[in-house]
Amino acid sequence: MTSMSAHIQHGSSQILSENLENTIALLERTPGVLNTLLRDLPDAWTQRNEGEKTWSAYDVVGHLIHGELTDWMPRAKMILQHGESRPFEPFDRFAQERNSKGKSLAQLLDEFARLRAESLTELRALNLQEQDLEQRGKHPALGPVTLSQLLATWAAHDLTHLHQLSRIMAHQYREAVGPWNAFLGVMQCNGHSS
Amino acid sequence: MTSMSAHIQHGSSQILSENLENTIALLERTPGVLNTLLRDLPDAWTQRNEGEKTWSAYDVVGHLIHGELTDWMPRAKMILQHGESRPFEPFDRFAQERNSKGKSLAQLLDEFARLRAESLTELRALNLQEQDLEQRGKHPALGPVTLSQLLATWAAHDLTHLHQLSRIMAHQYREAVGPWNAFLGVMQCNGHSS
């Protein structure tokens, strides 16, 4: 794919395509990580949250599914097609409350794996070059962002939810660990990634 | 295994054996989770840390190996054999700097998987009953702790390092995500679990 707007090659170009390879390497692992961690794990770990209006592991998987459907590749294509002329659709952080209804965690894990694989097939088919990665789009709240930043954020978003998942799960053992609570970093996490 | 000291059955007994099942379910998944996340992942994710005197993903796997060798099952057996009469050996949080030398990440992942499987075989063979889980040992800093608390901490310790891992990895993308930095919870994590 060629650039749709003028751009200037600069020193960070090499970094951008290296980042893309690293990004894809992480993105393709996440469904397997969640599957290995969560499938058939007792509900005590996967269905409980951190208190009112917080998410369970089950909710997090639903949220990741919604990201595949409406956020990452749709926004990437919008940058390539419309640049900064059209802002992204705002992302619905609560869509999983509707979309996950009636589905088992195993079904959600399968759905996430399928959608992520489709997203990555589509991403690879774009064959993005340095100049594409430097293209800009318009985030409704953050303003101008590059395609490279969007794709890096996709990977970091996986990590933010792995971070959150481990914290939600550890929360279920807050009492069980007794005095060790003080030594376990995850128990001190203040929920910045909820 | 029968209790080696007098104890009183109380309302939390059922909870202790449920916790043990949940604990084992988590413990047996962790090597697979780390393997799926880290094996063959680019060094940019696995060999970089968060700055001077912090750990990389590679260091974390070495630390988990050392826990299998010297912390969890050795302490569990010490509680069952010696109760509160002998404090645990303090845990060396930096042993992996020596022990991981010259090993690849793939070797460490294999070693961790093997040791964890051995630990769990040993744990299951103890066939722990409620009264065993209520037995106490002596932590060198925390004082009296129960076997149940030790085993719960083993699982929560896995989660604390999954929490840390996701934060270490996200740190590598702090610049790459550009303005999205502000929206990613993991980027705000202050390192309480390092």
Side-chain angles (χ1 to χ4, degrees), chain A residues 19-94:
Chain A
N19 269 357
L20 180 59
E21 284 175 46
N22 294 342
T23 294
I24 291 175
L26 195 286
L27 289 174
E28 67 188 3
R29 279 162 173 81
T30 303
V33 170
L34 297 184
N35 191 63
T36 307
L37 180 61
L38 300 177
R39 188 176 295 257
D40 301 327
L41 197 64
D43 285 357
W45 289 120
T46 60
Q47 298 291 341
R48 293 185 189 162
N49 61 21
E50 297 174 283
E52 205 181 351
K53 295 192 179 174
T54 64
W55 292 1
S56 65
Y58 175 90
D59 296 326
V60 170
V61 180
H63 168 75
L64 290 171
I65 286 172
H66 194 66
E68 296 306 300
L69 290 169
T70 69
D71 192 332
W72 310 110
M73 283 307 296
R75 287 183 174 188
K77 288 182 285 189
M78 188 171 271
I79 291 176
L80 293 168
Q81 284 162 24
H82 300 287
E84 293 181 73
S85 66
R86 274 178 57 184
F88 307 145
E89 295 292 321
F91 183 69
D92 181 356
R93 289 184 65 251
F94 302 98

Side-chain angles (χ1 to χ4, degrees), chain A residues 19 22-23 25-26 29 32-33 36-37 39-42 44-45 75 88 139 141-142 144-145 149-150 152-153 155-157 159-160 162-163 166-167 169-170 173 176-180 183-189 192-193, chain B residues 19 22-23 25-26 29 32-33 36-37 39-42 44-45 75 88 139 141-142 144-145 149-150 152-153 155-157 159-160 162-163 166-167 169-170 173 176-180 183-189 192-193:
Chain A
N19 269 357
N22 294 342
T23 294
L26 195 286
R29 279 162 173 81
V33 170
T36 307
L37 180 61
R39 188 176 295 257
D40 301 327
L41 197 64
W45 289 120
R75 287 183 174 188
F88 307 145
H139 187 283
L142 297 170
V145 288
Q149 288 167 346
L150 173 74
T153 301
H157 180 264
L159 292 170
T160 225
L162 191 59
H163 190 77
S166 58
R167 190 192 69 227
M169 293 170 70
Y173 265 28
V177 298
W180 266 291
F183 283 10
L184 291 162
V186 67
M187 301 292 188
Q188 323 315 323
C189 190
H192 41 73
S193 60
Chain B
N19 269 356
N22 294 343
T23 294
L26 195 286
R29 279 163 173 81
V33 170
T36 307
L37 179 60
R39 188 175 295 256
D40 301 327
L41 196 64
W45 290 120
R75 287 183 174 188
F88 308 143
H139 188 283
L142 296 171
V145 289
Q149 288 166 346
L150 174 74
T153 301
H157 181 263
L159 292 170
T160 225
L162 191 60
H163 191 77
S166 59
R167 191 192 69 227
M169 292 169 69
Y173 265 28
V177 299
W180 266 290
F183 282 11
L184 291 162
V186 68
M187 300 293 188
Q188 321 315 325
C189 190
H192 43 73
S193 59

Side-chain angles (χ1 to χ4, degrees), chain B residues 26-27 30 64 112 116 153-162:
Chain B
L26 195 286
L27 289 174
T30 303
L64 290 170
F112 177 53
R116 174 59 61 87
T153 301
W154 190 1
H157 181 263
D158 278 9
L159 292 170
T160 225
H161 286 291
L162 191 60

Side-chain angles (χ1 to χ4, degrees), chain B residues 115-134:
Chain B
L115 292 170
R116 174 59 61 87
E118 287 172 11
S119 299
L120 292 180
T121 299
E122 205 173 4
L123 175 61
R124 288 196 183 93
L126 291 174
N127 188 24
L128 295 172
Q129 304 301 312
E130 298 290 344
Q131 60 268 35
D132 303 313
L133 293 166
E134 288 167 12

Side-chain angles (χ1 to χ4, degrees), chain A residues 107-147:
Chain A
Q107 283 174 303
L108 294 185
L109 290 166
D110 288 342
E111 190 174 343
F112 177 54
R114 179 176 58 75
L115 291 170
R116 174 59 60 89
E118 288 172 12
S119 298
L120 292 180
T121 298
E122 205 174 5
L123 176 61
R124 288 196 182 93
L126 290 175
N127 188 26
L128 295 172
Q129 304 301 311
E130 298 290 344
Q131 60 268 35
D132 303 313
L133 292 167
E134 287 168 13
Q135 283 208 57
R136 286 173 180 225
K138 189 170 175 185
H139 187 283
L142 297 170
V145 288
T146 66
L147 178 54

